[in-house]
Amino acid sequence: MNITEKILARASGKDMLEPGDVIFANVDKIMLHDVSGPGVIKTFEKLEKDGVVKVDKLFDPSMVWVAEDHFVPSVDKISAENIVQLSKFTKKFGITKHFKYGLGQYGICHTLSHEEGLVSPGELYIGGDSHTNTTGALGAFACGLGHTDVAYVLLNGNLWFKVPETLYFKINGKLPEHVMAKDLILKIIGDITTEGGAGYAMQFGGNGISDMSVESRLTLTNMTTEAGAKNGIIEPDQKVFDYLSERGVTEYDAVYDDDDAQYKKTYEYDVTELEPLVAKPFSPQNVSVVQETTGIELDKSYIGSCTGAKYEDLEAVAKILKGKKVKIRTEILPAAISIYKKATENGLIQIFIDAGAVVGPPTCGACCGAHMGVLAKDEVCVSTTNRNFPGRMGHVESKTYLTSPLVAAASAVTGKLTDPRDL
Amino acid sequence: MKGKVIKYEQDNIDTDVILPGPYLKLHEHAELAEHAMEGMDPDFHSKVKEANIIVTGKNFGCGSSREHAPIALSASGIEAVLALSFARIFYRNSVDGAYLLPIEIDEKTYSAISEKDELEIDTNTNVIKNITKNQTYSMKPFPDLIGKIIEAGGLFKYKP
């Protein structure tokens, strides 16, 4: 079996599983946030009212953690009320891992999942958000779900899964300077399309992955969601163990592929010649090399989200912006306050402000069109986020170009879509 | 079930256009219905007064995990979506939350059905009857567990 099959087999008490098998598996960790959380609350209310279930306690509150990220700081009275309801919910059911905005550590749910070491190798982790796939870079089965499924797991501790077939992406070589993991995942989505991974596990391996930092790997698994994948996953190695150890996590049962592990299909990528890429409006699969799109006039550069505002993303941006001035509005929102703090300590925030950019709080913000910099009609934005569907970041007639943090920063300096090598 | 068709002849209709992000803070089903398909079809609300089935292409419901998407469609009156394929979370949400029937059809059926056609869908026999055109098509049967969850009326009512 491969790593995905082995985690699902362990979680369902089976010795052997095959793709296509439908199982009920025990879940190890559950995440909800200020969109899926109120959805869960509403689901529970309705089920109780209809007499379907009684919700007086959760299966195990210690499995659960809660983030506030989509509509914080509160956008209006409704979103403020959602946060109040979420706090009442976690208090009522004894959920202690509630990362409250403006209270200690807080940030985007998928960023907290690794920043705080909340999910370990070998675990079955589900979350009420599609980019839950991100955390599979730590060697977990990580899968996004809607709030009814999350509610079911909160009560029962298990859920049905169809064992996915696995697409294996063998990555060879070291990424060139000015090319990031974001470029690689855009390349892959451009090749296989937004439905090319539909329902599959997308697994990454090879010496290109061994060479990559944990944060870069998280960018790959994060955007497996855009290819439609059930989960993105990478076998854990010493880099992952060190990363978790720095966060005080040392005990877990890491899982690896068996020697005879099977994959539905293997794709090989030599990344040594990879160039900076861009996904043009209106789909993450609409990919070209930045060189072919240079000169597109921009109104804004947005550096944020679980995809593109981790510490190393901010470091890449700082490398470009140091000693320069931005020519267009540039909004930088670190993905968690711990990242913001580290960026402050190491002088990155100073570089951003000196360049003329605004630094915002950790929130999903404009990535999902919620607030904090949404786009007007006809506005054109280069963004380190993950989706560029019509209206994703604001008006349906705004345009978003998805790129790496390096390209977004270089473009901020020139005001046009720019290959960082040309700066 | 029986009803008329709204046809969207395109692939990859995503959850951002089915129910745009700013409304994710809403959780009342009727409020979500007001914004259904707002990102792509301003005429959806007038169309859905006379129709309850969407027919569309590949990868319907791709994008975010927001259950708001099938809720908004269902609360607007949509009872079934017939698509060449579905994004996995939209499919799961539709079934587990018992909002609507996600039915997979083949290319031939997709081409044969037109806007405003009246269909009769029988999930026991897996037959779709086009009353307007006097044609019948087969639908892909639901996998075993999915069929049982639909029959039970959603995941919470299903007893494993």
Side-chain angles (χ1 to χ4, degrees), chain A residues 42 76 82 147-149 160, chain B residues 16 25 28 63 67 92 96:
Chain A
K42 188 94 189 147
D76 54 17
N82 283 339
H147 58 241
T148 294
D149 283 339
W160 70 270
Chain B
D16 277 307
K25 63 193 175 208
E28 293 298 336
E67 201 157 309
R92 252 194 111 109
D96 286 351

Side-chain angles (χ1 to χ4, degrees), chain A residues 319-326 351 354-356 413 423:
Chain A
K319 200 166 78 181
I320 300 275
L321 293 188
K322 190 168 186 184
K324 297 204 176 61
K325 295 284 181 196
V326 294
I351 291 170
D354 287 345
V413 171
L423 207 60

Side-chain angles (χ1 to χ4, degrees), chain A residues 22 24 35 38-39 42 47 52 71 76 78 82 128-130 143-149 151-152 155 159-160 194-195 230 368-369 387 389-390 392 396, chain B residues 12 14 16-17 21-22 24-28 39 58-59 63-68 71 85 88-89 92-93 96-97 99 145-146 149 155-158 160:
Chain A
V22 176
F24 270 82
V35 170
K42 188 94 189 147
L47 288 166
V52 180
F71 291 92
D76 54 17
I78 299 171
N82 283 339
D129 190 282
S130 63
C143 173
L145 298 165
H147 58 241
T148 294
D149 283 339
Y152 188 89
L155 277 193
L159 187 68
W160 70 270
T194 52
E195 59 161 353
K230 182 171 290 180
C368 57
R387 287 188 188 130
F389 299 131
R392 168 71 179 178
V396 286
Chain B
N12 300 313
D14 63 87
D16 277 307
V17 301
L24 293 178
K25 63 193 175 208
L26 303 178
H27 291 90
E28 293 298 336
K58 287 189 262 186
N59 205 23
S64 97
S65 61
R66 63 190 71 165
E67 201 157 309
H68 305 55
I71 290 172
S85 64
R88 54 166 284 275
I89 306 180
R92 252 194 111 109
N93 286 343
D96 286 351
Y99 302 113
L145 177 69
I146 302 292
I149 293 172
L155 182 61
F156 275 94
K157 293 182 183 168
Y158 167 75

Side-chain angles (χ1 to χ4, degrees), chain A residues 117-162:
Chain A
L118 296 168
V119 179
S120 295
E123 287 187 331
L124 199 171
Y125 161 54
I126 62 110
D129 190 282
S130 63
H131 287 106
T132 301
N133 292 27
T134 310
T135 321
L138 303 181
F141 176 88
C143 173
L145 298 165
H147 58 241
T148 294
D149 283 339
V150 172
Y152 188 89
V153 182
L154 285 171
L155 277 193
N156 300 290
N158 64 12
L159 187 68
W160 70 270
F161 294 91
K162 185 171 158 195

Side-chain angles (χ1 to χ4, degrees), chain B residues 118-129:
Chain B
E118 188 174 19
L119 306 182
E120 193 170 61
I121 300 167
D122 187 338
T123 52
N124 292 314
T125 57
N126 299 311
V127 170
I128 302 167
K129 203 169 148 189

Side-chain angles (χ1 to χ4, degrees), chain B residues 61-88:
Chain B
C62 61
S64 97
S65 61
R66 63 190 71 165
E67 201 157 309
H68 305 55
I71 290 172
L73 293 178
S74 163
S76 300
I78 297 295
E79 292 177 64
V81 177
L82 277 53
L84 292 173
S85 64
F86 290 90
R88 54 166 284 275

